Amino acid sequence: MKTTASILAALATSPLVAAAPTIIEHEKRGWVNWTSPGLNDLARKAGLMYFGTAIDNPSLNNTKYLSIARDAHEFGQVTPANGQKWMYTEPEQGVFSFEMGDAIINPAIASQQIRRCHTTLWHNQLPDWLTSRNWTSPELVSILETHIAAVVGHYKGLCYAWDVVNEAFNEDGTFRSTIWLDTIGPSYIETAFKAVAAADPDAKLYYNDYNLESISNKTRAVGALIRRLQDCGVPNLGVGMQAHLITGMTPSYTDQVANMQAFVDLGVEIAVTELDIRTELPSTPEKEETQAQNYADTVKACVDVQGCVGVTVWDFYDPYSWVPGVFEGEGDATLYRESFERKPAWWAVAEVLDSAAN
Ligand SMILES: *[C@@H]1O[C@H](CO)[C@@H](O)[C@H](O)[C@H]1NC(C)=O
Ligand SMILES: *[C@@H]1O[C@H](CO)[C@@H](O)[C@H](O)[C@H]1NC(C)=O
Ligand SMILES: *[C@@H]1O[C@H](CO)[C@@H](O)[C@H](O)[C@H]1NC(C)=O
Ligand SMILES: *[C@@H]1O[C@H](CO)[C@@H](O)[C@H](O)[C@H]1NC(C)=O
């Protein structure tokens, strides 16, 4: 078996992107196969805790996909893309369902993949019973605490981290108007963090959001929130940068490092939690080359900032990416094509991780 270093050394002798060999060609040359060193192996050698992926329930009938998704050489960490969200875990008040979450979490345990759990509090994908009427503040606090006790309690000890609060800020750094803010006030955030800490004292407790990849009023507001949570004794804090980025428009490596360092300087760990880089369709080899560089910049920033524990992609396979369904005319956002061929972005990430290890 060739080592990954020699795979990459061989690749380096030909232009990485221009060569863009297909996975079939690599397999024929004996360079890689599905059990050869993968991105997680390389990430571990580069000093990260994991390289991971989100997995969504509709993929669970695709055996080829699952052979990659559940290979801990490739992905050492798994996040359920949807299955732990409120509309699925508490579809009726006080009636809990863990089927969808368990379908992602249990195989990850069997494959010895770290689990990031997602998410106890968001303003989207809430059940109708919760959003279709007005609650008093004490009622909503009680609903929130009951939900967290049940869901986090069910997964106690199984989640490395919880995305406790998701997307609570506007771009200008003010609190987003949600049923939580509008009914309870900003203290809902503290309430949620304390409830998760009580239900699973070992879990890392993350604040998770998008557009946190370079310093802005939004990242400063998150920093202020972290300091407040620290002041009221919330342990094990983390900040998740979702990193839903756009090809050719990502923050520079330098800006990403400065931003990550600013979070780490608060005394918390950080992670890239939902990385994908979408492209206006149709994609071209030139766009894919830019995308490869963009992926490499974000992964390298995480590797280079002590305190960034890992990178999670928001699925690795285009057919299961959320992008085409949400951003009209955009796609090609992940590391693998529909054919399961690895894109230039996969090789660029592998190269960044491998050079960091050496
Ligand atoms: C894949 O690589 C592993 C070592 O990483 C080796 O044991 C196995 O035989 C290879 N499989 C194929 C089909 O080449
Ligand atoms: C999985 O199920 C979906 C929905 O039923 C279907 O569209 C898809 O073709 C199936 N995929 C495979 C690989 O069987
Ligand atoms: C909630 O209260 C607001 C303001 O009092 C009111 O306008 C709205 O109709 C109420 N919503 C429901 C679903 O009762
Ligand atoms: C950031 O906040 C400051 C004051 O808090 C404000 O003056 C500035 O306009 C804001 N910048 C942006 C881009 O919103």
Side-chain angles (χ1 to χ4, degrees):
M1 180 191 121
K2 282 197 190 268
T3 65
T4 305
S6 72
I7 294 168
L8 290 156
L11 273 175
T13 61
S14 62
L16 183 66
V17 171
T22 66
I23 186 65
I24 305 297
E25 286 165 349
H26 286 301
E27 282 179 342
K28 275 189 195 145
R29 291 177 209 172
W31 280 0
V32 288
N33 65 31
W34 302 116
T35 56
S36 65
L39 297 180
N40 186 56
D41 295 324
L42 294 166
R44 301 277 308 210
K45 283 194 197 138
L48 297 182
M49 193 184 299
Y50 58 78
F51 193 94
T53 186
I55 300 179
D56 205 358
N57 296 76
S59 71
L60 295 176
N61 63 351
N62 187 330
T63 49
K64 176 75 174 174
Y65 172 89
L66 291 178
S67 71
I68 304 169
R70 291 180 176 161
D71 177 0
H73 293 286
E74 183 74 338
F75 299 113
Q77 178 273 319
V78 164
T79 306
N82 282 296
Q84 293 175 322
K85 288 175 181 168
W86 200 310
M87 66 185 287
Y88 302 116
T89 48
E90 195 179 356
E92 292 171 53
Q93 185 169 13
V95 177
F96 294 91
S97 167
F98 303 111
E99 221 172 292
M100 284 178 64
D102 289 356
I104 308 291
I105 295 294
N106 289 341
I109 295 169
S111 303
Q112 298 187 292
Q113 295 165 303
I114 292 167
R115 284 78 56 190
R116 293 193 85 266
C117 293
H118 175 86
T119 171
T120 49
L121 189 147
W122 195 26
H123 59 278
N124 278 330
Q125 292 180 270
L126 295 172
D128 285 343
W129 66 262
L130 184 52
T131 54
S132 63
R133 55 160 284 192
N134 289 318
W135 305 93
T136 65
S137 173
E139 282 171 343
L140 200 56
V141 166
S142 162
I143 286 168
L144 179 57
E145 290 179 335
T146 301
H147 179 79
I148 287 177
V151 175
V152 177
H154 176 79
Y155 291 105
K156 183 178 180 184
L158 304 180
C159 302
Y160 166 72
W162 267 102
D163 290 328
V164 176
V165 173
N166 202 40
E167 302 179 357
F169 287 103
N170 297 312
E171 295 309 295
D172 65 2
T174 56
F175 287 111
R176 181 196 294 274
S177 169
T178 65
I179 65 163
W180 311 110
L181 183 78
D182 301 344
T183 311
I184 304 173
S187 69
Y188 81 85
I189 297 181
E190 205 180 300
T191 300
F193 273 90
K194 285 183 170 166
V196 179
D200 191 350
D202 293 331
K204 301 283 181 185
L205 311 178
Y206 271 67
Y207 177 78
N208 190 54
D209 212 332
Y210 60 88
N211 287 351
L212 292 189
E213 295 79 38
S214 59
I215 291 172
S216 68
N217 281 354
K218 191 175 189 178
T219 65
R220 281 187 278 266
V222 171
L225 170 69
I226 292 294
R227 283 190 294 271
R228 271 205 304 287
L229 293 169
Q230 288 169 329
D231 285 348
C232 60
V234 177
N236 299 335
L237 286 166
V239 173
M241 291 153 290
Q242 292 183 359
H244 292 295
L245 303 174
I246 302 174
T247 297
M249 295 174 63
T250 59
S252 69
Y253 161 79
T254 312
D255 285 352
Q256 292 187 62
V257 166
N259 174 62
M260 288 179 179
Q261 192 60 54
F263 282 134
V264 168
D265 288 346
L266 297 168
V268 299
E269 71 168 50
I270 59 169
V272 177
T273 53
E274 308 189 9
L275 177 62
D276 55 17
I277 307 187
R278 59 186 189 268
T279 299
E280 197 179 313
L281 300 174
S283 197
T284 63
E286 292 71 28
K287 289 181 188 174
E288 287 204 336
E289 197 167 338
T290 303
Q291 180 193 48
Q293 185 58 53
N294 294 159
Y295 260 102
D297 284 345
T298 295
V299 172
K300 183 168 166 52
C302 183
V303 167
D304 290 349
V305 174
Q306 193 83 33
C308 188
V309 298
V311 175
T312 308
V313 291
W314 206 244
D315 224 300
F316 61 90
Y317 182 54
D318 279 342
Y320 298 136
S321 169
W322 71 306
V323 166
V326 173
F327 302 96
E328 205 186 327
E330 296 178 74
D332 194 30
T334 75
L335 299 174
Y336 283 72
R337 300 185 202 291
E338 183 163 10
S339 62
F340 288 104
E341 185 190 5
R342 295 165 178 187
K343 295 182 194 172
W346 188 97
W347 292 99
V349 168
E351 187 179 64
V352 151
L353 292 170
D354 188 62
S355 4
N358 294 321

